[in-house]
């Protein structure tokens, strides 16, 4: 069971704000803030280098924490500035040639797709979008039919930014592993709201952020790279941390995933990331996922009863991102109205998931994303607010 009273006590803003914007940036719990402040104070007292040396054990422990979160090994983890950099370092390390194929999903995130376009422009690689099934999830049977010898990468966003869809990551992993195709999984919206096991999923690379459902600080992320694949990848950019300069004409890439890192980074933020991972692990990802789904289902049920509201989520078992539209109101107007009432929600623009938005003729949609520290009363508060809007 989750001790909601303790968790909300660790989240002071919850006393005054119904915060349902966790798909954007969640509220950090007090231990995360304390970990960061402690290191900043130490840097101010003894300097950045000395502070880093003194806290070397705590800094090193972050790799172990992230590894436990993912069921990976610490040497398979790189700590990054954000999820985009993590994803890019993996993607751009892969060699592509003219005619090579990249398979992706209809709900792929914009940052990833523009990288596909750039590599296609540079190399002649081909982007092929796997169609969705009747539920809106990536069609794994279509994926199997599309695979041939030219497929060099399967790259999928597990949970897209514009709604509750949860793509079948593990089913995709079975296909990729059986065919020996590298599999890059964007888990930005998944990590922190559901259990993530890279061995069960079968992905070779996974990127994620700290600021969303993991409740970590902004400017943090991480990359998982399976050990067997890592030795085949040279990062697109290196420095003397990733690849020590061993002689006048030679560098040597690190053996671990830190070959994707650089020497300088924000140690206070990294320690905050580690604290957020430890906080989630202490609660347990299974109970977190159960509560997130319960709150999201409650919200969808309430929205379904409101006149003029259309829920736009896809998938058989949607997660804790709830997207919807309301007749007579633009998405930004609803977000602003809710903010004035002390309710924090967001909106998702069509350009963030252009293929899906064009296929479904989606305008900007409202995005509410509850988390385990929210209460049923906060969900009902948003529903009541929208009901009042509908009556105007």
């Amino acid at each position: 069971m989750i001790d909601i009273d303790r968790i909300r006590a660790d989240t002071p803003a919850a006393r005054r704000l119904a915060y349902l914007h966790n798909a954007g940036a969640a509220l950090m719990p007090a231990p995360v803030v304390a970990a960061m402040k402690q290191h900043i104070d130490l840097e101010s007292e003894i300097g950045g280098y000395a502070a880093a040396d003194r806290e070397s054990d705590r800094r090193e422990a972050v790799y172990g924490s992230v590894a436990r979160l993912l069921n990976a090994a610490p040497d398979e983890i790189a700590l990054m500035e954000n999820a985009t950099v993590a994803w890019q370092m993996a993607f751009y390390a892969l060699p592509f040639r003219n005619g090579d194929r990249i398979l992706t999903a209809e709900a792929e995130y914009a940052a990833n797709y523009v990288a596909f376009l750039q590599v296609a422009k540079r190399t002649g690689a081909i982007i092929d979008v796997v169609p969705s099934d009747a539920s809106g999830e990536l069609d794994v049977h279509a994926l199997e039919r599309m695979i041939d010898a030219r497929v060099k990468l399967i790259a999928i966003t597990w949970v897209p930014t514009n709604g509750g869809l949860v793509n079948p990551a593990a089913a995709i992993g079975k296909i990729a592993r059986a065919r020996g195709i590298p599999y890059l999984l964007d888990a930005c919206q998944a990590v922190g709201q559901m259990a993530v096991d890279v061995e069960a999923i079968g992905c070779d690379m996974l990127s994620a952020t700290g600021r969303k459902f993991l409740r970590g600080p902004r400017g943090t992320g991480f990359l998982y790279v399976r050990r067997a694949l890592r030795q085949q990848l040279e990062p697109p950019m290196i420095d003397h941390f990733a690849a020590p300069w061993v002689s006048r004409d030679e560098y040597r890439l690190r053996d671990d995933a830190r070959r994707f890192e650089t020497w300088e980074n924000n140690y206070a933020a990294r320690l905050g990331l580690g604290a957020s991972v430890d906080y989630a692990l202490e609660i347990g990802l299974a109970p977190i996922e159960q509560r997130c789904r319960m709150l999201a289902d409650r919200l969808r049920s309430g929205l379904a009863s409101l006149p003029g509201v259309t829920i736009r989520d896809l998938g058989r078992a949607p997660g804790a991102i709830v997207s919807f539209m309301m007749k007579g109101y633009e998405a930004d107007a609803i977000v602003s109205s809710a903010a004035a009432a002390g309710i924090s929600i967001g909106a998702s623009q069509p350009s963030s998931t252009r293929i899906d938005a064009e296929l479904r003729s989606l305008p900007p949609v409202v995005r509410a994303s509850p988390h385990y520290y929210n209460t049923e009363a906060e969900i009902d508060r948003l529903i009541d607010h929208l009901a009042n809007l509908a009556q105007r």
Side-chain angles (χ1 to χ4, degrees), residues 104-108 113 127 129 350 353-360:
T104 191
E106 290 179 348
E108 193 65 11
Y113 206 92
I127 310 163
V129 178
T353 46
R354 181 169 295 281
I355 294 175
D356 178 50
E358 290 179 355
L359 287 172
R360 296 197 284 151

Side-chain angles (χ1 to χ4, degrees), residues 108-167:
E108 193 65 11
Y109 186 52
N112 304 345
Y113 206 92
V114 297
F116 300 152
L117 291 171
Q118 185 184 56
V119 162
K121 182 178 179 180
R122 288 176 176 176
T123 68
I126 299 165
I127 310 163
D128 283 323
V129 178
V130 182
S132 299
D133 63 18
S135 76
E137 297 174 8
L138 179 138
D139 187 332
V140 293
H141 300 295
L143 172 64
E144 283 192 292
R145 291 193 298 268
M146 292 174 69
I147 291 176
D148 61 19
R150 295 179 299 146
V151 176
K152 303 302 180 183
L153 176 67
I154 300 172
I156 303 296
T157 294
W158 190 356
V159 178
T161 189
N162 68 335
L165 172 66
V166 180
N167 271 315

Side-chain angles (χ1 to χ4, degrees), residues 149 219 225:
V225 182

Side-chain angles (χ1 to χ4, degrees), residues 14 144 179-180 253 305 325 369:
E144 283 192 292
R179 299 297 192 97
L253 286 168
S305 69
M325 299 156 45
S369 43

